Every structure is written in C-alpha cells, then in structure tokens.
Amino acid sequence: MTNVALVGCGAMGEIVARTVYPALGGLVAAIDPDPARAAAVAELTGARPFTSLARARQEVGIDAVDVRVPHHLHATVVLEALGAGCHVLVEKPFATTLADGRAMVTAAEESGLVLAVAENYPHMQAVRDARTAVRTGVIGEVLALRSTRAYQVGGVWVRDGWRHGTGPSGGILLDQGTHQVSLVRCLGGPVRAVSAAGGADMVSLTLMMASGVVAQSLLTWSSPGPADQAEATVIGSGGRLDVLVDYDADGGGCDIWTPGGTSLLGKENYYDSHRLMVEDWLQAISSGTEPVVPGNEGLEDLRVVLAAARSLDEGGGFVEVASTEGS
Ligand SMILES: NC(=O)c1ccc[n+]([C@@H]2O[C@H](COP(=O)([O-])OP(=O)(O)OC[C@H]3O[C@@H](n4cnc5c(N)ncnc54)[C@H](O)[C@@H]3O)[C@@H](O)[C@H]2O)c1
C-alpha cells in the first residue's frame, strides 16, 4: 500500500479525508499549519497530525503527497515533496506562474515520480460521454461551444480570505478558469488564442480553438444556481449536447438532443470525480502508467488561463496561447 500524506486540511482536504481516503486506506499523515485542522482530519482517518511536511517525514514513512493548499503555495509544496522522493497529486490550478509549472513538470520528469493534477472534468463520466459523442459525430460537425460556472461562493470556501480578489492566488480566473478551460479542451481540443473581459470575481472568456471553432466561458461567484446546471453546451450541425453537473446529488450526466430523439447518459455527483482522481493517481503510482491528468496537462490549462489574465491586463484583445511560452 502507498503511504499518503495529505497536505492542507482545509475545506477540500477535509472533504477528501472524509469521503475518499476511509475507503481507500493509506492516509498516514494529516498536515496543516493550523493544528486543529490537522487534528480534525487525523481523527476522521486514523492518520497522524503534523504542522509541516518536513516534520511528518521525520516521523512517518511517506511515499506520496496529496496537496490541497491555497494556489500560491502549490509550487512550494509540490517541489518539496518531489525533492523528498514522493509522488504528488496537486489540486488545480496546477501553479500560478508558468515558471513554477515548468519547474514542477521538470522535477517530476527528472525524478521519475508521478505528478498528477486533481482536475475533475477529464475524470467525469458526463464529460467522457460528451467527448465520445463529439468525436463520433453524434451531433454532426461542431459549430460552437460554451461553458458556464455561475454560483455563489461562501461558507468554508471563503473563510481564510485568499480566494477572492486580485491577490497571489489569482481570483476566479485561476480558481474556476482552469476548470472551465479543462472542460472546453476536453470537448473542443487545443486552444489557440483567448480574450477576456471582467474582473477578479466575474470573467467572460472567448476562446479560439485550434480547430477554428469559437468557445465562450462565463465565470461568476455571485449567482445562485440550480443543483444540476448545464455547465457546457456543444452546438453541432446535427444536434446539441449539454454536460450537466450536479454538486449536491446524482443528477449529473450528458444530455444529447438530435432530431431523432434525446438521451441522458450517466448519473453522477461532481464529488464522485474526487474519488476517481485519487484512485487514478494511486493506480499510476503502483502500475507505472500515466495518470489521466499528468502535470503537463495542468500546465496546458494554466497556459490558457495566464494568456487570459494577460488579455484582461491589456484591455481585452486576443492573446495567442503560444505567446505565453517564454513568460
Ligand atoms: N477540484 C475542486 O472541486 C476543488 C474545490 C475546492 C477547492 N479546490 C482546491 O483545493 C485547494 C485548497 O482549497 P480549499 O478551499 O480547501 O482552501 P482552504 O483555505 O479551506 O484550505 C487550505 C488549507 O491549507 C493550509 N495550508 C496553508 N499552507 C500550508 C502548508 N504549507 N502546508 C500545509 N497546509 C497548509 C491552510 O491552513 C488551510 O487549512 C485549492 O487549490 C483549491 O483550488 C478544488
């Protein structure tokens, strides 16, 4: 069994500790500078609580590190873990700068350790069904694509104050933008250029796909929404499909409409994908296979989002994604 340390026992760390690790086993250390949070996760899982990864490594054998800390700390923790010879699963956004993201990918390549990104969409059945339908021509030629993530953020998600605004963690563009870019890339392929309008807590993106298709993404943290939202729609010459995402119950799925009829594939809860991501990472470690979302895929999502950030700074013009390569 792989001995895992959970680094970051805040809102997301607590969810995976409560819903994922009890069934999988293997969680040996719960790490957070806030001792009460580390202790709470330790109590849920039987892991030992620590206030730093360095201290935990002195006392427990650790093979792999699951990183759930604020965005601007991802790179520091990931590089420390890889440097210590541990496999890593890191939350989205992969990093907050391209230099950090590249350093993380290089460190994993040079060490031969598994570096996976906890990006949900490529793991979700609804997205996989939608991608298959698009690729097999079920809705004809793809004409346009849109994605929306509109919800009201509050409660535990904002209690430490780093998520909102223009601080080092990157606001909604890095927090939800990387998710939406991943979703759009799953359905429409690579992104060539992007323009952005809005601000720290509401952003609208226009994405020029390499295929020539235009995609739009709208992100806001200020809107109440129904549980099962159409988070993406693909409009085709022969029909359309919606990716429904349910954060509360099992109403997620892929809803396909063609002149011949409709079908709703799958029934899932968004949080099912958190279990799938950890299982995939542990499987990649034990079998030597590549995870579904390796570091370089997280880096690709980041590259698009940082091009969008540059567009926002420069007044909303299109920025070629490749032009961010040297930055
Ligand atoms: N994929 C998803 O659906 C999803 C949902 C929510 C959050 N997230 C991601 O999870 C990560 C954490 O978000 P959150 O909402 O849980 O934040 P949070 O603020 O609730 O928790 C972060 C925790 O990290 C701890 N921490 C800070 N520095 C640390 C360090 N050096 N070592 C160990 N712990 C440290 C903090 O004390 C805090 O308890 C972010 O990357 C976020 O984007 C992903």
Side-chain angles (χ1 to χ4, degrees):
M1 175 159 306
T2 304
N3 281 353
V4 178
L6 179 65
V7 178
C9 301
M12 198 63 234
E14 192 272 340
I15 288 177
V16 293
R18 183 166 39 79
T19 63
V20 175
Y21 281 105
L24 296 179
L27 194 66
V28 294
I31 301 162
D32 199 293
D34 179 335
R37 291 186 187 175
V41 162
E43 192 165 335
L44 281 171
T45 58
R48 286 181 58 190
F50 296 95
T51 53
S52 78
L53 178 57
R55 189 65 206 265
R57 286 182 41 245
Q58 286 168 2
E59 302 209 14
V60 190
I62 296 172
D63 308 310
V65 174
D66 181 338
V67 182
R68 311 276 176 167
V69 298
H71 306 159
H72 60 287
L73 303 172
H74 285 189
T76 307
V77 177
V78 168
L79 291 172
E80 180 185 351
L82 291 171
C86 299
H87 304 282
V88 171
L89 174 67
V90 59
E91 266 291 354
K92 46 47 71 172
F94 184 52
T96 55
T97 69
L98 279 185
D100 280 349
R102 277 194 291 255
M104 291 151 70
V105 168
T106 302
E109 280 170 1
E110 287 178 357
S111 60
L113 294 159
V114 175
L115 173 57
V117 187
E119 173 48 69
N120 307 65
Y121 289 93
H123 292 269
M124 288 168 59
Q125 193 56 50
V127 177
R128 294 209 299 264
D129 288 341
R131 182 165 51 191
T132 302
V134 166
R135 286 183 180 167
T136 56
V138 171
I139 58 166
E141 183 193 347
V142 173
L143 303 176
L145 229 156
R146 66 129 205 95
S147 83
T148 308
R149 183 69 176 111
Y151 70 113
Q152 221 150 28
V153 73
V156 289
W157 304 110
V158 294
R159 71 186 157 183
D160 285 1
W162 59 266
R163 194 167 245 109
H164 281 105
T166 52
S169 277
I172 199 169
L173 190 51
L174 260 74
D175 193 289
Q176 296 302 314
T178 40
H179 272 321
Q180 294 302 306
V181 165
S182 170
L183 174 56
V184 167
R185 288 177 60 234
C186 281
L187 300 174
V191 177
R192 183 176 63 72
V194 58
S195 79
D201 295 340
M202 200 295 290
V203 178
S204 165
L205 305 177
T206 302
L207 303 135
M208 305 291 296
M209 313 303 287
S211 65
V213 167
V214 178
Q216 292 194 313
S217 281
L218 187 66
L219 321 170
T220 174
W221 268 329
S222 307
S223 171
D228 54 339
Q229 305 177 49
E231 209 153 302
T233 298
V234 186
I235 298 166
S237 58
R240 55 175 276 176
L241 64 79
D242 288 324
V243 173
L244 305 175
V245 179
D246 193 339
Y247 294 83
D248 299 325
D250 296 330
C254 174
D255 197 1
I256 300 175
W257 179 92
T258 65
T262 60
S263 54
L264 178 61
L265 308 175
K267 276 216 157 286
E268 71 184 335
N269 183 312
Y270 173 78
Y271 288 97
D272 294 344
S273 55
H274 279 283
R275 175 180 47 78
L276 296 174
M277 291 190 287
V278 175
E279 283 176 353
D280 172 64
W281 173 53
L282 294 175
Q283 172 69 22
I285 292 169
S286 62
S287 64
T289 53
E290 183 156 273
V292 169
V293 189
N296 54 12
E297 284 295 312
L299 188 56
E300 201 50 45
D301 293 335
L302 180 66
R303 190 170 275 137
V304 176
V305 166
L306 292 179
R310 207 170 105 195
S311 170
L312 265 184
D313 285 348
E314 294 174 356
F318 275 97
V319 173
E320 295 283 329
V321 173
S323 73
T324 60
E325 188 56 43
S327 46

